[in-house]
Amino acid sequence: MGRVSVTCFLASYAVALLLEGLSAVRRGPGPWARLGSLGLTIAGFVAHTLYLYVRAKTTSLPPLLSSMQDWLYVLAWLLILVDVFVTLSDRQAAVGILVLPVVMALVIGAHFVSSSHAPISSVQRNWAMLHVGLLVFGMGGLLIGLVVSLMYLWQHSRLKSRHPGTPLFPLPNLERLHRWNKWLVMLSIPTLTLGMVIGVGLVVFRQGGDVDERVWSDPLVVMSLIAWVLMAAFYLWMNIAVRTPGRQVAALTVISGGLLMLTVLGAQVLARIGTSPSLHGPAKPPAGGLP
Amino acid sequence: MNLSTVFLSHQTAQLAVRERLAFPNPERLQQAYMRLAELYPQVEFVILSTCNRVELYAAHGPMGAVPSLPQLSQFLAEFHQVPLDEFVGELREHTGPAAVRHLFEVIASLDSMVLGEPQIVNQVKEAYRLAEQHDACGPLTHALFQGAIRTSARVRTETRLSEGRVSIASVAVGDFARSIFDRFHDKLVLIIGAGEMAEETLRYLKDEGVRDVVVVNRNPERAARLAKEWGGVAAEWTELDHWLGRRRAMSIPRRGSWITCFSTTSIACSGPVMRIAEHAHGRWTRPRRSSKRRRRNSWENSIGGPAAILLCGCAKAGTNWPRSSSRNCFARRRISQRKIGKPSSGASTGS
């Protein structure tokens, strides 16, 4: 079990993606490729789970609290879980072709962020767990929304073009994709907001009411705030507007999800290379520290 | 062989041109045969006119010549009062074995918008019957069309042509509409037209679970009949714009998206809703892209609204509908080819 590495599940996902792509090639391996892709995705998922379990045992912390790297692995794990669930419930829908690249980006991106963890006091532990738990579910929801939106836009352009009903990469219908997307956004943004509020509360609590000015120069905090403002505007628009056309919702979800990935990965990479130290990274946390 | 066909189809001509050159009813067809008999008394003719094609088959014994493409183009221009330069570039001509092969491909539905659709066989049979009725046929056209009908029967029994969805309505509902909608029972369907296509489209929609149907047609009796048959409501043709544009003001018992089906022959393959609304007023113009009304009605903006309007019906002109397997195509082409290689006595006489 201890020999399970990132390469194991990353390679499984990569081959699964390749098979998913091959299944679309005319005169290609056909349905066997999709079956193989599903099998490899499940195998990768098992390896992924084992890896997280081993990491949790090694650090004696839940993966969400151990490090930013593990946190991203958990996010990728959640996406794979949804992918496997959707693929098993609708074998026709080509979900993997869009989910797997996002998962691989997260896993590869995790390689470039900090793998060390900061100490957490037992008092803050539950709050920190809630903070990162809400964030990971919010971000997971929004990233799934990003994938669903990409599927929507793909299906939409396919129907607008002169090739409807093409058997390559069958996708769910627009109405269902829109409904999924809308619910994901409606649930994810409040979850993210709550997670961020708890995070701010933790910082204030940790610093005894005297907030360190470095918080406002932390790239993750700044970029998260910008992303949050945009997402809040998006959320308000969805709730206030009389009509929310599916294509606009999908496009805005892609922008929000993309910005979120940029925030999560980009800011952490910046923090790691030392260009812009982050309170969420390993570089001398002020006190306690967030994952 | 003194045999030729002059034709235009959905592959060669725009809908507007096909519409103007069509022979929409038996009366017009009778006039056309009478006029052709006056112009070319020795020539056998069969006119095939459907929503997707207009074809003139002409045959003459070995001692005479069939009318040429310019002559038949001139006839079409004069008969339909359409300037020649508006369609002459879209007409095609085949002569001799190529004309036979073309008819065999047409009747085998190799040339149809939906490969394998069965309606074309009856349309060809009907065209042949009407030509016979108007004494326009002769030994060559008899042999040609009877051979084509036999070939079509073989194609359908010896290949897997009729498997799957084989009509525009079934593809429109089963593939296109299902790619947009998740469920149909909460949708209100607006059917424009009350002909054969409308009925077929309704049948497929009912199978999908549609409950609320509104039928709009130029002929209110036909709309009422169709609506009654399928448990819907008939509306006046003059209300079309009202239904299309002011859908949210309607006292519809059920909220949800709308499906609009265009099914009359003349607008079977049209695109945006706006065109239909304009067509209702006799204006056939391309809508401006910036038109607010078009934006409001365009199907891409429809998902997500409390009550939206959807184009489902017969989709867009020139759409490449799903085709059957290439193996079937080859099989059918082989049968057609064999039949051409061993033509029946009548057809060979003329060659």
Side-chain angles (χ1 to χ4, degrees):
Chain A
M1 194 188 288
R3 284 186 295 179
V4 177
S5 67
V6 175
T7 317
C8 291
F9 57 88
L10 186 61
S12 291
Y13 297 151
V15 179
L17 180 62
L18 186 73
L19 284 177
E20 193 82 44
L22 279 177
S23 68
V25 179
R26 282 193 193 281
R27 299 175 190 279
W32 291 106
R34 294 208 69 198
L35 211 60
S37 172
L38 179 64
L40 278 167
T41 308
I42 293 172
F45 177 72
V46 172
H48 200 150
T49 312
L50 287 176
Y51 177 81
L52 289 174
Y53 175 72
V54 170
R55 284 283 296 174
K57 277 192 79 174
T58 311
T59 57
S60 305
L61 280 172
L64 285 175
L65 293 183
S66 58
S67 70
M68 190 68 197
Q69 191 178 61
D70 290 351
W71 193 88
L72 287 176
Y73 289 146
V74 172
L75 195 55
W77 182 86
L78 271 178
L79 290 185
I80 286 292
L81 185 67
V82 173
D83 173 41
V84 170
F85 178 75
V86 173
T87 310
L88 285 176
S89 55
D90 185 359
R91 297 288 284 278
Q92 292 296 312
V95 185
I97 194 80
L98 292 171
V99 173
L100 288 169
V102 177
V103 168
M104 287 172 66
L106 285 171
V107 173
I108 293 169
H111 180 69
F112 298 99
V113 303
S114 163
S115 61
S116 59
H117 63 91
I120 300 172
S121 68
S122 57
V123 182
Q124 294 172 356
R125 184 174 165 139
N126 289 342
W127 282 105
M129 191 67 191
L130 188 61
H131 162 61
V132 290
L134 288 170
L135 283 186
V136 83
F137 277 108
M139 285 188 189
L142 213 56
L143 287 181
I144 295 164
L146 166 80
V147 172
V148 168
S149 299
L150 287 173
M151 288 163 77
Y152 184 99
L153 295 173
W154 189 3
Q155 177 78 316
H156 181 272
S157 65
R158 183 187 280 179
L159 290 168
K160 284 269 285 179
S161 72
R162 288 168 180 254
H163 298 276
T166 171
L168 306 180
F169 295 127
L171 296 168
N173 57 62
L174 291 180
E175 193 179 14
R176 185 182 299 178
L177 289 171
H178 177 67
R179 194 170 58 243
W180 287 353
N181 193 18
K182 203 166 178 177
W183 275 108
L184 283 166
V185 170
M186 297 293 269
L187 293 173
S188 302
I189 294 178
T191 310
L192 271 176
T193 307
L194 195 58
M196 287 175 77
V197 168
I198 293 173
V200 171
L202 273 173
V203 170
V204 173
F205 175 75
R206 204 181 293 149
Q207 297 175 354
D210 186 20
V211 180
D212 188 341
E213 285 186 359
R214 283 189 309 156
V215 170
W216 308 115
S217 60
D218 182 341
L220 190 62
V221 173
V222 173
M223 289 182 75
S224 299
L225 276 176
I226 294 170
W228 181 82
V229 169
L230 289 174
M231 283 187 292
F234 175 31
Y235 183 80
L236 281 176
W237 171 75
M238 274 186 64
N239 281 287
I240 292 170
V242 178
R243 290 184 67 246
T244 50
R247 197 163 57 153
Q248 284 179 32
V249 173
L252 286 169
T253 311
V254 169
I255 293 169
S256 306
L259 195 66
L260 202 67
M261 276 195 80
L262 195 73
T263 306
V264 173
L265 294 178
Q268 285 297 315
V269 171
L270 282 178
R272 186 177 185 185
I273 61 176
T275 311
S276 185
S278 168
L279 291 176
H280 291 73
K284 294 176 187 171
L290 296 174
Chain B
M1 185 192 294
N2 287 330
L3 172 71
S4 77
T5 176
V6 169
F7 66 96
L8 50 82
S9 71
H10 63 99
Q11 294 186 357
T12 67
Q14 294 294 316
L15 172 67
V17 177
R18 301 201 304 270
E19 199 180 39
R20 296 184 75 185
L21 296 184
F23 299 88
N25 50 52
E27 291 74 33
R28 289 290 286 164
L29 210 53
Q30 184 180 10
Q31 290 166 10
Y33 279 123
M34 285 168 66
R35 180 71 185 138
L36 284 169
E38 282 170 25
L39 291 170
Y40 311 104
Q42 302 298 317
V43 182
E44 304 170 23
F45 283 103
V46 176
I47 299 173
L48 173 62
S49 177
T50 72
C51 56
N52 281 329
R53 62 187 70 250
V54 177
E55 305 198 345
L56 271 70
Y57 290 87
H60 199 291
M63 304 304 291
V66 290
S68 62
L69 173 65
Q71 286 173 311
L72 288 178
S73 306
Q74 190 62 41
F75 157 73
L76 285 172
E78 286 174 8
F79 186 78
H80 290 292
Q81 303 288 307
V82 179
L84 199 58
D85 55 357
E86 284 189 16
F87 68 90
V88 73
E90 299 180 10
L91 280 176
R92 301 286 183 273
E93 182 188 33
H94 286 317
T95 56
V100 179
R101 184 177 298 114
H102 174 75
L103 176 63
F104 282 20
E105 287 184 359
V106 167
I107 199 168
S109 81
L110 289 174
D111 199 43
S112 296
M113 193 178 275
V114 173
L115 190 69
E117 56 95 6
Q119 288 93 343
I120 187 66
V121 182
N122 288 331
Q123 287 165 339
V124 172
K125 282 181 182 173
E126 182 64 9
Y128 172 48
R129 190 188 67 77
L130 285 171
E132 209 177 0
Q133 186 182 315
H134 294 113
D135 295 325
C137 282
L140 285 174
T141 43
H142 279 309
L144 174 66
F145 277 81
Q146 285 168 13
I149 292 165
R150 277 197 303 274
T151 306
S152 132
R154 275 196 63 196
V155 164
R156 280 163 210 282
T157 50
E158 293 178 25
T159 69
R160 299 166 67 190
L161 178 73
S162 304
E163 290 182 7
R165 294 195 177 94
V166 285
S167 72
I168 292 174
S170 65
V171 173
V173 175
D175 288 344
F176 192 69
R178 285 199 70 83
S179 299
I180 299 169
F181 298 112
D182 199 24
R183 44 181 177 258
F184 288 78
H185 64 86
D186 58 348
K187 309 292 187 294
L188 179 75
V189 177
L190 175 60
I191 298 276
I192 303 173
E196 193 183 331
M197 285 289 273
E199 195 162 354
E200 196 182 346
T201 308
L202 256 175
R203 189 179 304 121
Y204 286 110
L205 285 167
K206 281 282 180 182
D207 288 346
E208 294 291 345
V210 163
R211 292 175 189 166
D212 300 323
V213 175
V214 176
V215 182
V216 176
N217 190 43
R218 288 193 187 91
N219 183 335
E221 286 83 25
R222 291 184 68 182
R225 183 193 58 76
L226 189 69
K228 189 180 172 188
E229 192 177 333
W230 292 96
V233 178
E236 292 289 326
W237 182 250
T238 49
E239 292 175 19
L240 177 61
D241 270 359
H242 186 62
W243 283 93
L244 287 172
R246 296 181 60 193
R247 58 197 181 278
R248 295 185 67 193
M250 295 281 107
S251 55
I252 302 301
R254 193 185 304 278
R255 286 183 69 186
S257 298
W258 284 43
I259 306 171
T260 309
C261 294
F262 308 109
S263 49
T264 52
T265 302
S266 60
I267 51 179
C269 300
S270 35
V273 172
M274 189 62 192
R275 277 195 174 184
I276 304 307
E278 288 185 345
H279 189 79
H281 293 291
R283 289 183 284 120
W284 186 269
T285 53
R286 185 177 287 277
R288 283 177 296 153
R289 281 207 167 271
S290 58
S291 162
K292 277 183 188 172
R293 190 170 170 193
R294 181 173 182 264
R295 259 185 281 146
R296 193 179 63 210
N297 285 338
S298 63
W299 68 267
E300 62 261 36
N301 285 335
S302 60
I303 297 286
I309 196 151
L310 251 291
L311 164 64
C312 139
C314 298
K316 295 174 280 185
T319 297
N320 293 325
W321 297 101
R323 314 287 286 181
S324 300
S325 70
S326 52
R327 198 172 146 193
N328 273 334
C329 287
F330 289 135
R332 268 170 269 134
R333 281 191 197 283
R334 272 206 304 278
I335 291 171
S336 296
Q337 198 69 41
R338 276 208 298 275
K339 291 297 287 182
I340 295 162
K342 289 186 252 176
S344 56
S345 56
S348 58
T349 313
S351 61

